[in-house]
Amino acid sequence: MRKTTLFTLDTPYREPLSICAAEFGAPDAPRSIAVVGSTRGNEIQQTFICAQLIERLSAAEERGLLAQDARILVIPSANPFSMNIGERFWPVDHTDINRMFPGYDAGETTQRIAAGLFEAVKDCDFGISLGSYYLPGDFLTHVRVTHANAISDESLQLADAFGFPYVVSRTPSSFDTTTLNYNWQVWNTHAFTVLAKETDTINQRTATYVQNGILRFMNAMGFVQSRSMGGSLAVHIDESDLVDVRSESAGGFFLRNVESGERVVEGQTLAVVADGFDGHVRETLRAPVTGYVFFSHTAPLINQYTIAFKLVPEVA
Amino acid sequence: MIETVFSAELPVGEHLLIQKNRIVGTGGPGPRIAIVTGVHGDELEGQYVAFELARRLKSALHLLSGTVDIYPAVNPLGINSIQRGMPLFDLDLNRTFPGNGNGPMAETMTAAVMDDIRGADVCVDIHASNIFLREMPQVRINELSADQLVPLAPLLNVDFVWVHASATVLESTLAYSLNSAGTPTLVVEAGVGMRITEEYGRRLTDGILRLAAHLGAWKGDFYSAPEPIVSHDGEVSYLNAEHAGIFLPRAKHATVLHEGEVVGIIADPLSGDVVEEVRSPRAGLLFTLRAYPIVYPGSLLARILGDIQ
Ligand SMILES: [Zn+2]
């Protein structure tokens, strides 16, 4: 493993921002894969997953288990600058680096950061980014493929190799055109976004589970010999198949009965919204279908019109 | 009459409210004109326009035919707490249009705003740059709607009209969504974030009355500014910082520069050195100038409009 610096940016009053990568294999190897942990300062679990992945890949390298003709890049954080001061987005102007791809090296600051990262990873055959959702909450770990172009169909099939329970295909909306995942595909990289259960907290057990999935994928694509614990037979769904459960009539305390990943039956109480003044139940959120909790709001407070859960129906 | 466009219950004893002032003239039937501002919570120039326009209309209702709806705060929580985006999510509301009535709260909110404005004869969405840059009053128009909007834009008393290329990511703005829905919508950028420039506000207020008069809705007085410059992307130069430090402007905003003229310097307070001297790459109008001193490599310092007489 070599630690390399992909990009640096001078900043006022602080050390320069550095985007660092763990690099395995020759820089000019014919096959390559990149894993990007975080582009936002609150993606701590994503950064942690990559840090441990570097440790596991280093151990594999010492034992001669990495392919000789391949290069692996792992970038735990493209935005340590925000993480170190507890900010999610770029602290100066609140722009999101993951809305700046492919970047522009003569443009605004976050466009330059995106360009610096993209330049280093755009020619990889495979790209994995560990993202987070715009709604805060927990997920059932899954891999998603945004349908950008013709390469996406093959990517969807390859995504099975992660062995996560769900492969989600997503129809891009206007903002997708500026994400890392989408732009990788424009450059003909097979791009996958892995959504881990947590974002701003570390869970070592689920971190290992996500690393196992990434190593399973790397094993299947011939980058590393790994016998990660067997994964799931993936179910393919479209993002539009998910059923939302929303707080329709009230805001208040959010008292939750279920976790992401749990099976729930139609009519089951998933959570209640309790009054912020006297605590009485204002609204009961029930499962409209039998299925699995795919996403769950986890904050203790909830506003009216908040998507509290997304369920995968058991029967299509 | 004050009306509520959207209401959502917050967790503890409060509602998020988007309100509008519906001013109906007594001069007979006429068009509906929507004036929107406060999509970005750190932009306050439009607050003055909302106040001044309502004040002038209310004092002369007999001169107004039709309806003027004034929406001072599409992002009330942001304005209230000095945040550009919507608090809790740090979400830029101008990336959530046209919204979704069955989606998350922010999208439900923007869908309600869309539904309320849709069908107006014209809409003006007033922005005030951001806290970093000071802008001359200008109308920005997506090239896709240029045919319809370029003839209307000069009525707003701006200094110039910038017709810019369309970008997929801009499809989620209020203006794009309304224009797509058939409601002609002009975006004004003027002044600087977190401040009110009353001179600009008065000009824009007169400009809105001038637009109303053009549509047959206003029979009162208004000031008419000289014809603005109409420009396209190719005529605009961007000056970005190449070094970190403090930016000290040396040229005056809203003046015409010659090629090579010093726009400003970037200084390092620790070493006492000037680390960069920023010069204009062309002769032209300095219509955007940095107002916030701290810069990173990439920070926008100025925009210059070339090819002007
Ligand atoms: Zn704005």
Side-chain angles (χ1 to χ4, degrees):
Chain A
M1 191 273 282
R2 299 179 303 282
K3 184 177 178 183
T4 58
T5 301
L6 304 179
F7 176 79
T8 61
L9 180 94
D10 281 337
T11 73
Y13 311 101
R14 288 174 68 177
E15 288 183 321
L17 165 86
S18 295
I19 301 179
C20 295
E23 188 175 13
F24 302 88
D28 56 351
R31 300 187 307 120
S32 57
I33 183 168
V35 185
V36 176
S38 59
T39 54
R40 302 176 184 129
N42 69 327
E43 293 171 343
I44 294 164
Q45 173 80 342
Q46 288 64 27
T47 308
F48 177 70
I49 287 166
C50 281
Q52 283 198 328
L53 184 65
I54 291 171
E55 202 176 23
R56 290 177 70 174
L57 286 169
S58 297
E61 185 179 43
E62 271 175 32
R63 294 169 61 196
L65 300 176
L66 300 188
Q68 293 302 304
D69 65 340
R71 177 175 182 243
I72 302 172
L73 272 181
V74 184
I75 301 144
S77 175
N79 189 2
F81 210 69
S82 294
M83 192 169 287
N84 284 338
I85 59 169
E87 292 272 350
R88 181 173 181 220
F89 295 137
W90 188 247
V92 181
D93 59 9
H94 295 240
T95 51
D96 182 355
I97 293 170
N98 203 25
R99 295 287 179 276
M100 291 292 160
F101 289 97
Y104 176 40
D105 64 6
E108 269 282 354
T109 307
T110 43
Q111 290 178 312
R112 293 181 185 210
I113 297 169
L117 174 62
F118 197 59
E119 180 60 30
V121 300
K122 69 179 165 49
D123 296 320
C124 291
D125 302 298
F126 303 93
I128 300 169
S129 58
L130 291 156
S132 64
Y133 203 49
Y134 72 108
L135 301 173
D138 278 1
F139 266 110
L140 198 165
T141 302
H142 65 278
V143 53
R144 50 175 64 203
V145 173
T146 302
H147 217 284
N149 55 24
I151 197 174
S152 318
D153 290 322
E154 196 188 336
S155 306
L156 266 175
Q157 301 314 312
L158 296 175
D160 286 351
F162 285 93
F164 293 134
Y166 289 100
V167 172
V168 178
S169 77
R170 171 179 166 77
T171 306
S173 59
S174 62
F175 73 81
D176 280 285
T177 56
T178 54
T179 64
L180 172 60
N181 186 298
Y182 188 96
N183 282 281
W184 252 333
Q185 296 184 73
V186 173
W187 261 257
N188 272 321
T189 295
H190 287 294
F192 309 92
T193 303
V194 172
L195 272 292
K197 183 170 186 281
E198 293 89 356
T199 300
D200 51 10
T201 56
I202 288 177
N203 179 328
Q204 298 198 51
R205 189 175 53 79
T206 57
T208 304
Y209 175 75
V210 173
Q211 290 148 20
N212 289 348
I214 293 171
L215 289 170
R216 266 193 299 272
F217 182 83
M218 287 184 174
N219 178 66
M221 300 302 132
F223 286 92
V224 57
Q225 294 173 49
S226 165
R227 286 189 289 179
S228 289
M229 194 169 69
S232 310
L233 195 59
V235 173
H236 283 241
I237 57 170
D238 191 273
E239 198 179 29
S240 61
D241 297 337
L242 298 171
V243 175
D244 292 345
V245 182
R246 194 170 78 151
S247 51
E248 293 294 341
S249 60
F253 300 116
F254 182 63
L255 308 176
R256 186 163 54 100
N257 297 340
V258 296
E259 294 277 327
S260 62
E262 270 185 57
R263 182 175 184 271
V264 295
V265 297
E266 187 179 338
Q268 182 178 337
T269 298
L270 305 176
V272 299
V273 180
D275 189 82
F277 182 68
D278 66 15
H280 79 280
V281 172
R282 294 279 311 282
E283 185 173 357
T284 301
L285 303 180
R286 297 181 195 281
V289 293
T290 294
Y292 297 86
V293 179
F294 195 75
F295 167 79
S296 164
H297 179 86
T298 49
L301 297 177
I302 192 165
N303 296 322
Q304 187 181 0
Y305 306 128
T306 298
I307 295 184
F309 299 98
K310 285 175 177 285
L311 307 182
V312 191
E314 196 166 64
V315 180
Chain B
M1 191 174 58
I2 309 300
E3 296 180 10
T4 297
V5 174
F6 177 77
S7 168
E9 197 174 76
L10 298 176
V12 189
E14 187 189 349
H15 291 84
L16 186 172
L17 297 178
I18 295 183
Q19 294 180 299
K20 71 172 178 184
N21 188 354
R22 167 157 280 192
I23 300 173
V24 181
T26 56
R32 171 158 69 99
I33 299 168
I35 307 301
V36 187
T37 192
V39 173
H40 291 135
D42 59 351
E43 301 177 16
L44 305 179
E45 303 278 9
Q47 298 307 307
Y48 180 83
V49 177
F51 156 71
E52 180 65 4
L53 182 63
R55 187 188 70 78
R56 286 180 65 177
L57 291 173
K58 285 201 298 186
S59 69
L61 283 178
H62 61 289
L63 300 174
L64 175 67
S65 312
T67 303
V68 177
D69 282 332
I70 302 173
Y71 305 74
V74 174
N75 179 12
L77 300 182
I79 300 184
N80 177 278
S81 57
I82 327 181
Q83 295 180 57
R84 184 175 183 79
M86 183 164 169
L88 300 170
F89 314 107
D90 208 350
L91 186 68
D92 183 341
L93 288 179
N94 222 17
R95 296 289 178 273
T96 65
F97 285 93
N100 172 5
N102 298 311
M105 186 173 75
E107 290 177 42
T108 309
M109 186 170 104
T110 47
V113 170
M114 270 295 290
D115 287 346
D116 206 75
I117 300 172
R118 197 192 313 265
D121 294 277
V122 71
C123 174
V124 181
D125 179 19
I126 303 171
H127 288 255
S129 181
N130 52 41
I131 66 165
F132 304 106
L133 304 167
R134 187 183 305 280
E135 296 283 356
M136 287 172 71
Q138 59 198 267
V139 171
R140 293 194 187 156
I141 295 173
N142 187 317
E143 62 185 1
L144 299 176
S145 37
D147 289 349
Q148 189 178 22
L149 300 180
V150 169
L152 296 176
L155 297 165
L156 289 172
N157 288 343
V158 292
D159 290 317
F160 79 103
V161 177
W162 181 358
V163 181
H164 63 80
S166 66
T168 314
V169 67
L170 296 178
E171 288 172 11
S172 45
T173 62
L174 172 67
Y176 184 96
S177 303
L178 281 171
N179 279 310
S180 304
T183 301
T185 301
L186 295 151
V187 176
V188 174
E189 288 280 1
V192 64
M194 293 193 190
R195 295 290 180 270
I196 284 176
T197 313
E198 288 194 39
E199 182 218 328
Y200 288 172
R202 278 191 294 272
R203 265 170 64 187
L204 283 173
T205 306
D206 273 285
I208 291 165
L209 293 172
R210 187 180 171 191
L211 176 66
H214 173 81
L215 297 174
W218 177 246
K219 294 189 181 63
D221 294 339
F222 53 83
Y223 158 77
S224 294
E227 197 66 10
I229 304 158
V230 178
S231 73
H232 295 82
D233 283 337
E235 296 144 11
V236 176
S237 297
Y238 291 68
L239 276 65
N240 297 77
E242 293 307 321
H243 294 85
I246 52 168
F247 177 70
L248 304 171
R250 289 292 173 261
K252 201 168 169 320
H253 185 226
T255 58
V256 175
L257 307 181
H258 55 77
E259 187 183 332
E261 189 168 339
V262 177
V263 176
I265 58 170
I266 298 174
D268 180 350
L270 184 61
S271 69
D273 295 329
V274 173
V275 293
E276 189 177 341
E277 194 175 55
V278 183
R279 289 175 182 275
S280 179
R282 70 200 299 180
L285 178 66
L286 181 62
F287 72 90
T288 305
L289 182 62
R290 191 168 185 88
Y292 188 79
I294 304 297
V295 296
Y296 286 59
S299 295
L300 189 60
L301 305 176
R303 277 186 287 237
I304 292 162
L305 176 65
D307 299 326
I308 60 158
Q309 270 69 51

